Amino acid sequence: MKQGISVLAALVCLACAPAVAADVQLNTPRLSGMDNFRDIAGIDTAYSTTNNGVMRAGVFYRSNVLTPGASDLQTMEALKIKTVIDLRSPSEIAAQADTLPAGSQYHAVDIIGNNGAFVIDINKMTVSDVDAMMEQGERGFVTSDYSRQGFATVLNELSMADDAALFHCTAGKDRTGWLTAVLQSIAGVDRQDIMANYLATNDYTAERINATVAMLPPALGATYGALMGVRANWLAAGFDQVIASYGSMDNYLKQGLGLDQATIYVLRARMVRYLSLPGEAGLEGNAAAGAALLSGLQDSPLSGHYTAYNYYLQSAIDSSTLGGLVNRVGGQVYADAASYLLRQPSRLNDALAPLVSARGIAAGETRVWLQGLSGYLGSDEHDGNSAVSEHTSGVMVGATTRLSQTLALNGGIGYGHGSVGSAGGKVKTNTTTLQLGGRYGFYSLEQGPWAGVQGNAGYIDYQSDRRLGYGLGNASGDSHGQYYSGRASLGWLAGAGSLTLDPALGVQVTHLKINGFKESGSELALVMDGINTTQTSLVADMGIHIAPQKAGNWTLNPGISLGYERLLNDARVTQRGTLYGISIDQGSAFNSKDVYKAGVQLSGNWRNVTLGGQVSYLTAGSHSDGVSGMLNAQVSF
């Protein structure tokens, strides 16, 4: 069989006459010195592929022997052809060496062996003989160990080529034609288009073939004409042999040529851009944005190289699903963390309300307090957003001093730990907080109208870790920031039988600033924009205090707290990340403007010591709800 392929090599040398420039302008420039030079992506337009792909122009070029004309080298250099792979035998190369574009790397890979030295007598052959011989040659590309080793070497070289690559043999039609057909099969080009590209040699080289045939005796013209061109049954024979020997093109690539899946995926990604990804059209919200980023990265250095992203995307195309990466890739957890941090100061003010009211403190007296906080809030998966869980714990120590019958001041310092998890990621925040405030009773702090202000500020240490999966590792980041928050309230403390009612209306304003940062640890690590935003809300609270009850030496003070908060800004916080110049916006799963709160509380006094606690339930819209608990100890002096 190797001898049959050598016959093919000797015969194609008849087609080495200088090419004649063509007048028809195609997408690929016509070269005066190589008439069979063209882009394998298509003739007039790029070929479509399976899975809604389209061939990329300017990746792989095919040609006959490189004998460029005066301006051809400049054209090839403009096409950024940096790799040239010569499929000819050593004897063919010795007879006509390539003239290479500047800066290109040259690789000679003999496909047929035997140095291409076997010669036949063409004068004794008919067109049928040529057909049979060329069909046998195409089958030999599949059955010959030597040819398979050569094609495997070429495909591996093409997978690692920088910029554009060109491969060629002598006439650019048989060895080059089979390699082109294999590459287009990897890309998923329809068999009809593969055949049309193969047969285009007859159009590209028609002028040269006709000129050669015209110089021959009529008896030889048909035979030589058939030999210098290509016929559909030749390529079909090669495809038939693939099925006969291996059952499928994929088996031929892996078993016959020894290519691994990663190399096949690299070649395919270099050649094909997919206009849409599996399931992308049905996605929304953060998932849709994640799919758009994954699609856009097809034009980044991650695509068409031996990267985890490339392997993931090509696998996803084969399996017709993008899996969970569409939710993880965009960094939704950062938007969720920003939303959490913007809401925490209001929760803190709610928790401190019983401690800063100065009720039960005599004028000139100070109450030192210690408060422990713990809470959870979860938001369901919805509208393309992943579910999120928020966990809070912390402690504050402070004091409330009653300066007079109508005025009290308070201050405190605390530490809070937050953990926000969503979309495979987790953000941990450690916040050191300072708090100052005061309350003024227009008649007395025990009854009637009152006004209060609470302000707090905090320094935030911010750490993130996103588990992307699919071999893409973890993307981690560190940052820091601060927040400033204030609440101004007006209330009225009034008795109603055994109850004391304390309704209040207020305005809560929180400004959050988190510095931008760059993740590390993954190919899909994002450069995150900073957060610098303000959230304003209206707050309505109702405290219901039940008449104290004696229990031994202790006095018990039960109560109920009800609250409503209306966010005046967009409740959904958005954060932007960037990867290879592609921006992706992700929104928080928490997106309700209306927050409802209800809790029960109980405190007990013994002499100057007070112990208390509260359990609260919070709900926001139909997707978010949670609970919180507080324990405190107070000493008055």
Side-chain angles (χ1 to χ4, degrees):
M1 181 53 62
K2 187 181 297 184
Q3 187 179 56
I5 299 174
S6 301
V7 173
L8 176 63
L11 294 174
V12 294
C13 288
L14 294 171
C16 294
V20 179
D23 296 329
V24 178
Q25 295 298 315
L26 301 175
N27 291 340
T28 305
R30 291 294 189 110
L31 302 185
S32 62
M34 298 114 73
D35 59 5
N36 210 9
F37 172 85
R38 61 188 191 271
D39 195 322
I40 75 165
I43 305 301
D44 296 311
T45 59
Y47 297 130
S48 297
T49 74
T50 54
N51 299 308
N52 198 29
V54 62
M55 290 285 281
R56 301 178 190 262
V59 177
F60 296 141
Y61 294 93
R62 56 177 292 177
S63 179
N64 43 348
V65 64
L66 302 192
T67 54
S71 63
D72 291 345
L73 283 176
Q74 293 181 356
T75 300
M76 294 167 70
E77 290 164 11
L79 294 175
K80 297 182 179 180
I81 295 174
K82 297 296 185 181
T83 298
V84 174
I85 300 181
D86 192 339
L87 308 180
R88 298 177 297 162
S89 64
S91 61
E92 292 173 277
I93 295 171
Q96 176 65 71
D98 281 340
T99 301
L100 301 172
S104 61
Q105 293 185 341
Y106 175 81
H107 305 273
V109 183
D110 182 15
I111 294 297
I112 56 175
N114 275 350
N115 205 23
F118 191 83
V119 179
I120 64 164
D121 187 355
I122 186 65
N123 297 317
K124 297 181 179 179
M125 297 183 69
T126 66
V127 171
S128 295
D129 294 331
V130 170
D131 258 351
M133 180 184 66
M134 300 306 283
E135 285 185 10
Q136 186 68 7
E138 293 287 333
R139 291 183 183 276
F141 292 150
V142 179
T143 59
S144 164
D145 291 342
Y146 193 91
S147 292
R148 290 200 308 274
Q149 181 179 354
F151 282 122
T153 300
V154 172
L155 290 171
N156 278 295
E157 289 286 352
L158 290 176
S159 74
M160 296 183 288
D162 293 325
D163 294 311
L166 179 151
F167 54 87
H168 74 91
C169 51
T170 297
K173 67 186 187 72
D174 300 311
R175 288 162 287 186
T176 298
W178 179 248
L179 179 57
T180 299
V182 170
L183 285 168
Q184 290 169 339
S185 297
I186 292 173
V189 176
D190 181 83
R191 185 64 60 84
Q192 289 183 332
D193 287 333
I194 295 175
M195 185 62 73
N197 187 273
Y198 176 77
L199 294 176
T201 286
N202 295 331
D203 297 324
Y204 274 78
T205 62
E207 188 170 350
R208 171 165 52 87
I209 291 174
N210 291 337
T212 301
V213 169
M215 295 185 296
L216 297 173
L220 296 178
T223 304
Y224 273 84
L227 184 61
M228 294 177 69
V230 293
R231 296 195 173 194
N233 54 294
W234 302 353
L235 183 61
F239 280 127
D240 289 344
Q241 191 61 53
V242 166
I243 301 302
S245 297
Y246 297 100
S248 68
M249 177 60 72
D250 189 62
N251 287 341
Y252 165 68
L253 295 171
K254 294 174 180 175
Q255 299 171 16
L257 302 185
L259 300 183
D260 58 24
Q261 189 66 66
T263 298
I264 295 171
Y265 280 164
V266 166
L267 289 168
R268 190 169 75 179
R270 284 177 64 84
M271 292 186 287
V272 182
R273 194 190 195 288
Y274 295 95
L275 303 180
S276 63
L277 300 182
E280 182 179 8
L283 299 176
E284 57 183 341
N286 289 342
L293 175 62
L294 292 172
S295 180
L297 289 173
Q298 292 183 88
D299 301 317
S300 78
L302 294 177
S303 183
H305 294 88
Y306 288 90
T307 63
Y309 160 81
N310 190 81
Y311 197 94
Y312 154 77
L313 189 69
Q314 299 302 317
S315 298
I317 289 163
D318 282 347
S319 61
S320 299
T321 176
L322 294 173
L325 189 59
V326 289
N327 298 99
R328 300 175 188 172
V329 69
Q332 177 191 317
V333 70
Y334 297 126
D336 290 325
S339 173
Y340 163 81
L341 290 169
L342 280 168
R343 288 180 277 111
Q344 281 309 105
S346 183
R347 304 289 81 76
L348 178 61
N349 285 332
D350 291 342
L352 294 178
L355 303 177
V356 302
S357 67
R359 292 188 67 218
I361 305 177
E365 192 173 52
T366 297
R367 177 179 288 167
V368 176
W369 44 261
L370 174 69
Q371 170 119 296
L373 312 171
S374 180
Y376 165 82
L377 186 139
S379 296
D380 298 333
E381 179 180 348
H382 63 96
D383 303 326
N385 308 319
S386 295
V388 59
S389 61
E390 304 171 4
H391 296 269
T392 303
S393 60
V395 62
M396 285 204 73
V397 60
T400 301
T401 299
R402 186 161 180 172
L403 300 178
S404 67
Q405 188 69 16
T406 58
L407 180 63
L409 300 178
N410 64 82
I413 185 170
Y415 164 81
H417 174 75
S419 176
V420 180
S422 66
K426 179 173 287 187
V427 170
K428 295 181 179 180
T429 62
N430 296 289
T431 305
T432 302
T433 298
L434 292 175
Q435 173 262 329
L436 291 172
R439 180 173 290 199
Y440 176 74
F442 291 93
Y443 305 117
S444 168
L445 289 174
E446 268 70 34
Q447 63 178 353
W450 58 268
V453 293
Q454 289 295 132
N456 42 65
Y459 174 83
I460 304 167
D461 179 60
Y462 185 102
Q463 298 177 331
S464 69
D465 184 66
R466 294 193 300 124
R467 299 177 184 274
L468 296 166
Y470 303 96
L472 290 158
N474 294 2
S476 302
D478 294 286
S479 187
H480 62 272
Q482 54 275 335
Y483 81 88
Y484 306 94
S485 180
R487 179 184 289 189
S489 303
L490 289 174
W492 192 294
L493 191 62
S498 62
L499 302 178
T500 300
L501 304 181
D502 189 10
L505 293 175
V507 177
Q508 172 84 33
V509 179
T510 300
H511 181 78
L512 175 67
K513 184 178 188 298
I514 301 293
N515 295 335
F517 61 93
K518 183 177 181 179
E519 293 182 318
S520 60
S522 171
E523 292 173 359
L524 300 186
L526 297 169
V527 178
M528 297 304 303
D529 287 359
I531 285 285
N532 193 0
T533 188
T534 300
Q535 187 177 85
T536 303
S537 60
L538 298 178
V539 181
D541 292 305
M542 171 63 79
I544 303 173
H545 308 286
I546 302 171
Q549 305 291 320
K550 278 291 186 178
N553 293 328
W554 289 84
T555 300
L556 302 182
N557 301 284
I560 298 172
S561 63
L562 302 174
Y564 168 72
E565 187 170 357
R566 172 71 178 182
L567 304 183
L568 301 182
N569 309 89
D570 187 350
R572 190 170 192 254
V573 179
T574 301
Q575 187 153 10
R576 173 169 293 179
T578 306
L579 180 60
Y580 288 103
I582 306 170
S583 295
I584 178 168
D585 291 338
Q586 295 279 275
S588 61
F590 185 96
N591 66 349
S592 175
K593 285 180 172 289
D594 300 301
V595 181
Y596 302 89
K597 298 163 280 186
V600 293
Q601 58 193 31
L602 179 65
S603 64
N605 305 96
W606 179 68
R607 295 182 180 179
N608 64 336
V609 175
T610 302
L611 300 178
Q614 178 173 314
V615 176
S616 299
Y617 171 75
L618 181 148
T619 183
S622 60
H623 300 295
S624 304
D625 60 276
V627 295
S628 63
M630 292 161 280
L631 293 174
N632 60 72
Q634 308 170 56
V635 178
S636 301
F637 56 90

